[in-house]
Amino acid sequence: MLRAAFLAPLLVSTLVLAVPPESTADAPAPPSATVDCDYYCDDRDPSLPLSARRSAYRPGTSAPPTAGPPSTGSAPPVAMAVICNKYCDARDPALAPSNRHAQSVAVGGRQVSLRFNDTDAMGWAVISAAQQGDEVWLDRSFDAGVTWGSGSRLGNTAAPAGFGEWRTMMFNVDDWADLGVGLLRACGRPAGSSSIACTSWYRTTWNAGERRTAAATALMERYNLGTGLFDTTGWWNSANALTAVIDNIRVTGMSSYRYAIARTYDLNVRAWQGNFINDYNDDVAWWGLAWLAAYDLTGDSRYLNTARIGADHIFRFWDSVCGGGVWWSSSKNYKNAITNSLYVQLNAALHNRIPGDTTYLQRARTGWTWFANSKMINSANLVNDGLTTSTCANNNFTPWSYNQGVPLAALVELHRATGDASLLTKARSLADASTGSSFLNPGGILFDDGGGGDVPSFKGAYVRGLAALNRALPDRPYTGYLRRQADTAHSRDRSSADAYDQPWAGPFQRSDAARQHSAVDLMNAAS
């Protein structure tokens, strides 16, 4: 896995900071990225050569952008390109058919407010109790509030004498022509003062009219149009993020981000060893499942073919060690639960999409028989992480949430392929164990106790698998559980910009694309 670079989080509270005139030199530097290890490190298999973890053929990503101060203050603004959607930037707020107050902050006896015209997807800033010379403006960000570059000090204006309230013109939140998914905040500075107050980042309800689409839009703020991946997270996490976006299109009908499917494919199909294959078989399977979701949505056969190539690659790592199973990576030093449950799911899903297939069905059947007898499922009906290679015994490592969720999805696909009702019975027993586990659900809310670049994605895979099982069972037994998770996350673990953190029980502290896709998966699952 590639190291995830955690960027500065969205600002949630009021910011009131002194900014030296004509200078941003004293802005604090962002914290440096560190490798975070628990049972997994960010670079997970050190026995693999460096070439297996970094590839000359993978689209490069630039160094994380450095966030500036809360606003560029009186620093000269960078030239701004005018954005035209339904209307062009700098439209008179008097023409707005709606006026929603997002937030107000205080500075020097003034109130700085952010207002939205949701009808036209535009916003403006207002300063109240204004005195002559008070400044007010907007900042606009297209990377989830990490930077705002040429979107700084939009509509900057100073209040004239005799006006108790002064406002900017309206500016677009998004850039529809260039696929920019944006946020706005309002900033102000009293005349003669160096103190600036800014609201938190917000957006209009455009593509964010309810919690499912709002979460997906916040995820797409981190989509890198140059790489076709999601900034702030890694390679396999991006496969899950794309899957969450595709599922969101399916459950909400909002197709605004459909472009990400082909763009991701075209920019990355030659990465690593080609066809989304690298030295980690679980990575290959995650991408294979993403492309099957893309195939289901679009009908484009290239996605089905790529998933098939990935499954055939993984099959080459099946051998007789520990009686069967596929190896986690090309170093062949670990047989683990996630790789083998994904193997079953991917092969069964391929069978369900390829008329006349027998090969993938046989692989899925054999894979599940081995998995069920491997002893990775413990006495509490929870799935531990894997096997100790020397003894082929359960290693008793943490029963991560995704190790519980992917077998559910695998069994649903295998049941669809075979009609064997016992598979759903087994899946239900596993789901009852994981949803009822106080270890996995402290206080009733799902939580994986770990950091690093991998763990924040785990819960998304869990709820995706649980939702698949819930849809397959006529009594929908897990609807209440899923809705409780979603309601709690939405009320306790959400920023002003609909970004989510890892602990769904809250409080919100930071977000990234891994945390966010898990929230999108959750909102999709609770539909």
Side-chain angles (χ1 to χ4, degrees), residues 51-408:
S51 61
R53 287 172 274 159
R54 304 268 182 197
S55 170
Y57 300 102
R58 180 172 179 264
T61 55
S62 59
T66 300
S71 173
T72 51
S74 59
V78 179
M80 179 198 70
V82 173
I83 293 174
C84 295
N85 295 331
K86 182 177 181 181
Y87 299 107
C88 291
D89 284 341
R91 182 172 169 82
D92 189 346
L95 300 174
S98 61
N99 182 342
R100 176 169 60 88
H101 177 212
Q103 186 187 20
S104 293
V105 296
V107 58
R110 285 72 156 173
Q111 290 286 321
V112 177
S113 302
L114 179 62
R115 306 294 181 91
F116 282 113
N117 164 13
D118 289 315
T119 306
D120 301 324
M122 304 182 84
W124 70 98
V126 176
I127 189 165
S128 303
Q131 299 180 22
Q132 183 177 4
D134 289 350
E135 291 182 89
V136 63
W137 65 90
L138 293 167
D139 287 336
R140 179 167 58 199
S141 174
F142 290 118
D143 57 6
V146 175
T147 63
W148 39 102
S150 61
S152 175
R153 294 176 61 82
L154 302 179
N156 181 48
T157 182
F163 287 82
E165 184 174 278
W166 196 244
R167 67 192 183 192
T168 68
M169 302 299 274
M170 288 193 295
F171 288 80
N172 288 292
V173 179
D174 300 320
D175 184 354
W176 298 347
D178 290 328
L179 305 179
V181 184
L183 296 170
L184 292 180
R185 65 178 178 183
C187 298
R189 176 169 60 184
S193 173
S194 61
S195 293
I196 293 171
C198 292
T199 66
S200 301
W201 293 102
Y202 290 85
R203 61 172 288 112
T204 68
T205 57
W206 190 269
N207 284 348
E210 43 103 343
R211 67 187 188 184
R212 298 173 302 175
T213 55
T217 292
L219 176 58
M220 287 301 297
E221 290 162 15
R222 299 182 183 276
Y223 184 71
N224 188 313
L225 295 167
T227 66
L229 301 172
F230 289 81
D231 286 339
T232 70
T233 197
W235 173 250
W236 79 273
N237 315 78
S238 284
N240 278 269
L242 181 64
T243 302
V245 170
I246 294 170
D247 285 349
N248 191 262
I249 296 170
R250 174 180 56 81
V251 300
T252 69
M254 184 185 73
S255 60
S256 299
Y257 307 123
R258 192 182 177 108
Y259 64 83
I261 301 171
R263 193 179 195 103
T264 297
Y265 187 91
D266 292 340
L267 287 172
N268 291 280
V269 68
R270 291 184 294 173
W272 302 104
Q273 299 164 32
N275 288 298
F276 298 87
I277 293 171
N278 68 356
D279 285 88
Y280 295 93
N281 286 322
D282 54 344
D283 290 19
V284 178
W286 287 122
W287 280 109
L289 291 170
W291 297 126
L292 286 184
Y295 172 72
D296 289 347
L297 183 69
T298 67
D300 190 332
S301 61
R302 65 178 179 162
Y303 302 139
L304 177 63
N305 292 337
T306 296
R308 192 170 184 169
I309 291 168
D312 291 345
H313 170 83
I314 299 170
F315 175 68
R316 293 199 290 269
F317 289 86
W318 180 284
D319 64 19
S320 61
V321 175
C322 296
V326 292
W327 293 100
W328 171 44
S329 73
S330 62
S331 61
K332 295 186 176 181
N333 60 3
Y334 190 32
K335 289 193 173 179
N336 61 352
I338 195 59
T339 307
N340 282 279
S341 56
L342 286 168
Y343 175 81
V344 176
Q345 183 185 356
L346 179 58
N347 279 282
L350 281 166
H351 169 78
N352 290 332
R353 289 156 178 83
I354 300 174
D357 165 72
T358 58
T359 299
Y360 296 108
L361 177 58
Q362 184 57 46
R363 291 177 186 175
R365 285 181 183 273
T366 304
W368 173 248
T369 299
W370 177 84
F371 190 98
N373 294 308
S374 68
K375 300 183 176 63
M376 286 187 290
I377 302 174
N378 65 31
S379 60
N381 244 359
L382 297 178
V383 181
N384 291 109
D385 196 68
L387 301 177
T388 301
T389 305
S390 59
T391 64
C392 297
N394 185 322
N395 60 18
N396 293 312
F397 284 4
T398 301
W400 299 108
S401 64
Y402 76 159
N403 283 332
Q404 320 313 312
V406 175
L408 305 182

Side-chain angles (χ1 to χ4, degrees), residues 487-509:
D487 292 346
T488 301
H490 188 259
S491 63
R492 300 183 190 175
D493 186 39
R494 180 173 56 100
S495 79
S496 61
D498 288 293
Y500 289 81
D501 200 349
Q502 184 174 344
W504 290 340
F508 177 89
Q509 294 180 309

